């Protein structure tokens, strides 16, 4: 068995890549008090605020480190769509980011709800809405990835929806809490090792 040492101040996770290669059969519409609202154009301040609210507990930080020009080039690309999940009063409680920049593919770059909504059935509704938007007529594959520091039920949820694992990788990054991007107390399920 080969082990890779993770240096102090870094975190490691196993990333699982999943594909859906056939358009899912139509399902009954799951009712929800939530709705998806596309942001067009995407306001970078609002985007980062929502990204942080949804992803902080899972240590999503990649978009928070990008400078304005790099982030704008991605989220305001014509082949990328960003949606906010809103409640009836317009409060943003989640996000979806879809990327069609590779011909024939749609990557679900980000998919998530604020932690307070976990386990309440909203994820199934959100995935149904996401897949309806992802499967454009020229799309032959919808794909995403999850990792071991994500919600513990994420991988099983994606598989139940119809995604099939196609590979794994180990990813090692600096710990965003040690780097000062997030407070040290967030994501207590991932120990800080310095």
């Amino acid at each position: 068995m080969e082990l890779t040492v993770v240096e102090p101040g870094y975190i490691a996770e196993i990333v699982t890549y999943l594909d859906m290669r056939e358009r899912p059969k139509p399902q009954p519409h799951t009712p929800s008090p939530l709705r998806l609202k596309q942001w067009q154009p995407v306001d970078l301040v609002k985007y980062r605020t929502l990204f942080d609210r949804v992803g902080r507990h899972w240590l999503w930080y990649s978009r928070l480190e990008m400078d304005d020009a790099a982030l704008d080039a991605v989220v305001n690309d014509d082949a990328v769509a960003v949606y906010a999940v809103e409640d009836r009063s317009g409060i943003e409680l989640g996000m979806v980011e879809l990327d069609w920049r590779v011909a024939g593919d749609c990557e679900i770059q980000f998919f998530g709800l604020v932690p307070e909504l976990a386990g309440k059935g909203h994820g199934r509704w959100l995935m149904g809405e996401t897949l309806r938007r992802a499967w454009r007529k020229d799309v032959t594959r919808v794909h995403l990835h999850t990792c071991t520091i994500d919600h513990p039920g994420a991988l099983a949820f994606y598989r139940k929806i119809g995604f099939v694992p196609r590979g794994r990788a180990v990813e090692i990054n600096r710990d965003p809490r040690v780097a000062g991007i997030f407070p040290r107390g967030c994501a207590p399920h991932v120990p800080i090792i310095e």
Side-chain angles (χ1 to χ4, degrees):
M1 174 173 33
E2 185 177 325
L3 297 175
T4 300
V5 174
V6 179
E7 296 295 326
Y10 284 76
I11 54 174
E13 65 253 23
I14 298 171
V15 179
T16 302
Y17 301 93
L18 300 109
D19 290 346
M20 182 180 285
R21 295 197 173 263
E22 292 182 18
R23 186 180 305 265
K25 293 179 180 151
Q27 299 290 321
H29 184 70
T30 306
S32 175
L34 305 176
R35 67 174 186 230
L36 278 180
K37 179 179 180 184
Q38 186 172 4
W39 285 352
Q40 201 174 23
V42 177
D43 176 289
L44 301 184
V45 172
K46 283 180 65 175
Y47 178 93
R48 284 187 179 108
T49 299
L50 184 57
F51 187 90
D52 181 57
R53 278 189 69 214
V54 172
R56 177 181 290 219
H57 186 73
W58 312 112
L59 298 180
W60 293 7
Y61 69 94
S62 60
R63 298 288 202 233
L64 302 177
E65 286 193 312
M66 297 172 84
D67 66 32
D68 285 354
L71 181 59
D72 186 64
V74 173
V75 298
N76 282 308
D77 187 290
D78 290 341
V80 173
V82 175
Y83 298 89
V85 180
E86 297 182 344
D87 69 8
R88 289 186 176 126
S89 63
I91 296 173
E92 294 151 351
L93 301 169
M95 69 181 301
V96 172
E97 184 176 323
L98 300 176
D99 184 339
W100 293 275
R101 290 180 291 176
V102 173
D105 279 3
C106 179
E107 181 173 4
I108 303 173
Q109 285 278 0
F110 294 99
F111 173 91
L113 296 162
V114 294
E116 299 82 15
L117 292 182
K120 297 183 179 174
H122 300 295
R124 182 168 283 287
W125 165 83
L126 182 57
M127 183 54 79
E129 293 297 314
T130 298
L131 291 173
R132 277 190 266 292
R133 288 162 176 79
W135 281 100
R136 294 179 173 176
K137 73 176 188 175
D138 60 334
V139 169
T140 58
R141 177 178 77 132
V142 174
H143 62 104
L144 52 74
H145 67 274
T146 189
C147 69
T148 51
I149 61 173
D150 216 344
H151 187 285
L155 181 57
F157 171 75
Y158 295 138
R159 292 183 78 174
K160 186 174 182 179
I161 294 296
F163 284 92
V164 176
R166 71 173 148 85
R168 287 190 188 157
V170 175
E171 186 173 78
I172 299 173
N173 293 299
R174 64 190 176 126
D175 189 320
R177 298 162 300 180
V178 173
I181 297 168
F182 292 133
R184 295 179 73 83
C186 79
H189 62 288
V190 181
I192 295 175
I193 299 174
E194 293 185 90

